[in-house]
Amino acid sequence: MLCSLAGCFTTTFHDVARASKFEYTDLEVEMEGSVHRSRSTGCNFTEILIRPRLTVASEEQREAGMGLLRRPSSRA
């Protein structure tokens, strides 16, 4: 499931960046999740951390890239 979420995050960021005409060099996404098991509900994620690592060509692009990473998706 975490791999699927990472893929969705990457694809969504790519679409948002393209719509914003923002060019970036690379995007790596590290995911971490905590799972709780119980007899009544089975296994559930209690926490999911997304750690994106965005590479840009210049320092000027850094703030714009950070803004896009923090931007909530309007299509969710």
Side-chain angles (χ1 to χ4, degrees):
M1 182 169 150
L2 294 178
C3 288
S4 295
L5 287 173
C8 288
F9 185 93
T10 303
T11 301
T12 300
F13 181 81
H14 177 75
D15 287 346
V16 169
R18 185 179 59 210
S20 300
K21 297 184 184 348
F22 177 78
E23 293 187 23
Y24 61 99
T25 305
D26 191 29
L27 175 63
E28 295 178 38
V29 179
E30 180 182 328
M31 304 290 289
E32 184 178 322
S34 298
V35 177
H36 174 74
R37 291 180 189 221
S38 74
R39 289 184 181 180
S40 60
T41 60
C43 293
N44 294 301
F45 279 95
T46 56
E47 181 178 49
I48 296 175
L49 298 174
I50 304 171
R51 292 189 189 99
R53 196 170 306 122
L54 182 65
T55 305
V56 294
S58 69
E59 189 65 30
E60 292 81 31
Q61 293 176 300
R62 185 172 182 236
E63 286 303 315
M66 295 297 289
L68 288 177
L69 285 171
R70 292 184 182 117
R71 184 172 150 185
S73 173
S74 60
R75 294 183 231 170

